[in-house]
Amino acid sequence: PLREYVAEARTLARVIRRIVRYRPTGTRNVAELLEARAEAHGTRTALVFGDERFTYGDWNARANCVAHWARERGLRRGDVVALLMENRPEYLFVWTGLAKLGIVTAPLNTNLTGRSLEHALAAAHPTRLVVGAECLPQLASASRPPVTHVLRDRSPYALPRGAHALDDALDPLPSSNPDPLWRKGLRAGDDLLYIYTSGTTGAPKAARFSHLRFLTIGDVISVFTDASGEDVLYDVLPLYHSAGGVMLPALSLFSAATLVIRRKFSASSFWDDVRHHRITGFQYIGELCRY
């Protein structure tokens, strides 16, 4: 028992040393973290989705295209963009790309429709909405959405009236890191995401989630899990919530591990996926284990 206590005390000491490095007024941010990973581990697999694989260099390059797109549209630090999309790598490309300019992303629950979706949009006050083509039926149930940009999915779709094809806009843009001056003034304590509550006690509320929180979560979990670049992490939870959308992506970025993303949780496919991808860890909520 004494040996275990000593080991736990050492782990806690490591955590404290990590945490004290962060300050709300500091300049550390998620954009710098992603760019550092791309520079150090550019050829390492970062994301897996079905048969698709993306390296850390790919992730950073795709995010850079989004950053250049946002800049061309006049978006600046502190602006808000809503994101309605099911789990897929593009989800991470979009919000990490926006983060490179200090833009705040409001991830929307993909189960919301009609007035509930309208409320979620109104709560974040976004100037634009990025929507995955797979979520266009939900969007069609809401009135007066903000300026909408559609990112295609695997199946054909009809572009809604007044919407813009995001894929076509991204294709010709540079994949190089944007000028850090584009996010000048960004602080660690500034907003990164607006993550909505579940709505069990009323309409969903948008909770502020800063760069600082993302960085400390990733750093602390990497200490407790001792994760490394040899790990393969399995993410089956919605990316619009903190469990699936923050904890595992943050851990992956800090440990340079591989993140396997599944569109939706499947109890029947879970262990097949674990064996196929040689999963070493996954993020769960209590009910997941019962399923």
Side-chain angles (χ1 to χ4, degrees):
L2 179 59
R3 184 176 300 175
E4 293 177 1
Y5 291 142
V6 171
E8 290 177 0
R10 288 176 176 171
T11 299
L12 288 173
R14 289 173 60 198
V15 168
I16 292 171
R17 286 197 297 270
R18 297 288 187 94
I19 291 177
V20 298
R21 299 186 303 174
Y22 299 99
R23 295 284 189 277
T25 56
T27 58
R28 292 172 180 259
N29 59 72
V30 173
E32 291 178 350
L33 175 61
L34 176 57
E35 290 171 5
R37 286 294 167 270
E39 182 176 355
H41 307 288
T43 59
R44 179 176 294 175
T45 300
L47 303 171
V48 176
F49 181 68
D51 296 329
E52 298 178 287
R53 305 180 75 86
F54 300 90
T55 65
Y56 275 97
D58 294 332
W59 182 351
N60 188 54
R62 299 294 185 94
N64 287 338
C65 291
V66 173
H68 286 281
W69 166 82
R71 177 77 174 184
E72 285 191 355
R73 294 325 179 267
L75 294 170
R76 298 291 185 271
R77 178 171 59 88
D79 288 341
V80 180
V81 173
L83 176 59
L84 181 63
M85 186 181 295
E86 293 183 352
N87 284 17
R88 49 185 173 117
E90 290 82 0
Y91 200 106
L92 297 176
F93 300 157
V94 169
W95 79 251
T96 54
L98 295 173
K100 286 175 177 275
L101 272 64
I103 297 168
V104 184
T105 301
L108 302 174
N109 187 324
T110 55
N111 296 303
L112 296 179
T113 58
R115 290 185 178 180
S116 296
L117 180 56
E118 292 168 8
H119 170 82
L121 285 166
H125 302 289
T127 58
R128 294 176 185 265
L129 166 67
V130 173
V131 58
E134 70 278 10
C135 292
L136 285 174
Q138 293 93 307
L139 182 63
S141 69
S143 63
R144 299 181 181 179
V147 179
T148 301
H149 303 269
V150 182
L151 201 60
R152 72 170 64 95
D153 197 20
R154 296 172 179 175
S155 57
Y157 70 95
L159 193 68
R161 179 179 298 179
H164 308 272
L166 183 54
D167 302 84
D168 295 340
L170 291 176
D171 284 344
L173 295 178
S175 60
S176 55
N177 289 338
D179 190 334
L181 290 176
W182 289 5
R183 56 179 178 268
K184 183 179 180 180
L186 180 65
R187 295 290 180 264
D190 291 343
D191 294 340
L192 170 67
L193 302 166
Y194 289 157
I195 297 182
Y196 291 81
T197 59
S198 61
T200 54
T201 57
K205 303 169 184 64
R208 298 171 62 186
F209 200 98
S210 66
H211 287 256
L212 179 67
R213 290 186 67 186
F214 184 95
L215 295 172
T216 53
I217 283 174
D219 212 343
V220 168
I221 297 177
S222 69
V223 173
F224 279 117
T225 61
D226 201 26
S228 72
E230 301 300 315
D231 281 297
V232 182
L233 308 174
Y234 189 36
D235 198 346
V236 299
L237 299 177
L239 293 178
Y240 56 76
H241 275 169
S242 56
V246 171
M247 297 183 75
L248 272 188
L251 175 58
S252 297
L253 281 171
F254 266 90
S255 58
T258 298
L259 183 63
V260 178
I261 299 173
R262 186 179 176 89
R263 185 68 65 112
K264 294 181 180 179
F265 168 71
S266 169
S268 61
S269 300
F270 185 88
W271 290 114
D272 289 338
D273 285 347
V274 168
R275 286 186 286 267
H276 176 71
H277 295 291
R278 299 185 177 183
I279 302 296
T280 62
F282 70 98
Q283 170 66 30
Y284 75 98
I285 55 175
E287 290 298 288
L288 198 83
C289 295
R290 183 172 68 84
Y291 296 147

